[in-house]
Amino acid sequence: MIGKWFLVFFGGLTFLAAQAGALAAGPVKDKEYTIIQPAQPPLEALDGKKVEVIEFFYYGCPHCYNLQPALKAWLKQAPADVEFRRQPTVFRESWIPLTRTYYALEAIGILEKFHDEVFTTVHKQNVNLGDRGNLLDWAGRRGIDTKKLAAAYDSFSVQTKSQRAVQMTRAYGITGTPSVVVGGRYLTGPSMTVDADNSISYQRFGQVLNELVAMARNAPPVKK
């Protein structure tokens, strides 16, 4: 009997050790991340030796919406040298309106306050906030200055940024959302970190991000 329970106990320890080892393993190239060719310079100038981490997302993407809690949790304990940025993704013309919504909110200085609520409104209430009328109605009920928002939505600057988002999507080789780019060199996403049952492991995704940040930290800077 002792031998039997010892084998069970030992087997359990072996299983846990194997699991821990798998979680601690470095990211697997071409499975858990890919190399961006050519490497891309930072979206904006970086302070000191910061490592840029870019979330490529689309407000209409349910997988992007589902990622938000895990991404927020990772950011709370991310390495101190991480410089996090968002980049709207545009694969087709129909994605432009919600991209303009993002840049319009940014233009009038309320993006951080309402970013999560846009996601929730689109996915939980099924309201298309890319539609100008819906957007202004939504904004008015939240005390947002609708005249400023409308002017921003229609502005040349927001239209230009939205078109640039098309170029950025192509330049970084983004093929699906959400995707996360680290240091302009490494591309990963939650769809690349799955368990044996093919379900997304957000824990593993966070570990891969940490490893890629470390790799980017030791890589030479990408110049424009």
Side-chain angles (χ1 to χ4, degrees):
M1 183 64 69
I2 294 176
K4 177 182 177 181
W5 284 111
F6 174 78
L7 289 175
V8 171
F9 178 72
F10 180 77
L13 288 179
T14 302
F15 173 78
L16 290 174
Q19 290 292 95
L23 290 174
V28 181
K29 182 175 176 289
D30 295 327
K31 180 183 178 183
E32 296 182 316
Y33 76 98
T34 59
I35 303 293
I36 296 175
Q37 295 287 358
Q40 297 296 307
L43 293 180
E44 299 176 16
L46 294 174
D47 294 332
K49 296 183 178 180
K50 292 283 189 178
V51 176
E52 184 183 60
V53 175
I54 310 171
E55 175 199 10
F56 280 82
F57 79 98
Y58 172 58
Y59 277 138
C61 165
H63 304 296
C64 299
Y65 174 63
N66 292 336
L67 173 63
Q68 298 311 300
L71 184 59
K72 285 182 182 179
W74 179 78
L75 285 170
K76 286 182 180 179
Q77 54 187 4
D81 58 351
V82 163
E83 183 73 32
F84 177 72
R85 289 167 179 161
R86 301 187 189 95
Q87 174 59 52
T89 308
V90 180
F91 288 131
R92 54 187 70 91
E93 192 67 23
S94 61
W95 287 29
I96 290 289
L98 274 172
T99 299
R100 288 174 65 179
T101 294
Y102 173 88
Y103 286 121
L105 293 172
E106 180 186 63
I108 64 173
I110 61 172
L111 177 62
E112 292 305 316
K113 182 177 180 179
F114 290 101
H115 178 69
D116 289 343
E117 195 167 347
V118 172
F119 262 126
T120 300
T121 301
V122 170
H123 293 281
K124 289 298 184 181
Q125 300 173 23
N126 297 315
V127 177
N128 177 14
L129 292 184
D131 179 272
R132 189 178 184 277
N134 289 344
L135 175 63
L136 295 180
D137 178 66
W138 170 87
R141 286 186 279 108
R142 284 156 180 79
I144 299 170
D145 189 326
T146 55
K147 290 185 177 180
K148 285 185 178 180
L149 184 61
Y153 188 90
D154 296 335
S155 69
F156 177 75
S157 174
V158 164
Q159 293 182 50
T160 299
K161 287 184 177 181
S162 298
Q163 289 301 322
R164 185 170 180 267
V166 178
Q167 301 169 1
M168 300 300 291
T169 301
R170 294 171 181 167
Y172 281 82
I174 306 300
T175 59
T177 54
S179 290
V180 178
V181 171
V182 179
R185 297 176 180 275
Y186 311 114
L187 185 151
T188 188
S191 64
M192 301 172 75
T193 56
V194 296
D195 290 326
D197 62 356
N198 209 35
S199 61
I200 292 173
S201 172
Y202 289 111
Q203 180 184 4
R204 178 59 182 161
F205 178 63
Q207 291 167 341
V208 167
L209 283 180
N210 287 336
E211 292 286 344
L212 295 180
V213 167
M215 290 164 57
R217 186 184 296 127
N218 296 320
V222 182
K223 298 180 179 180
K224 291 188 177 182

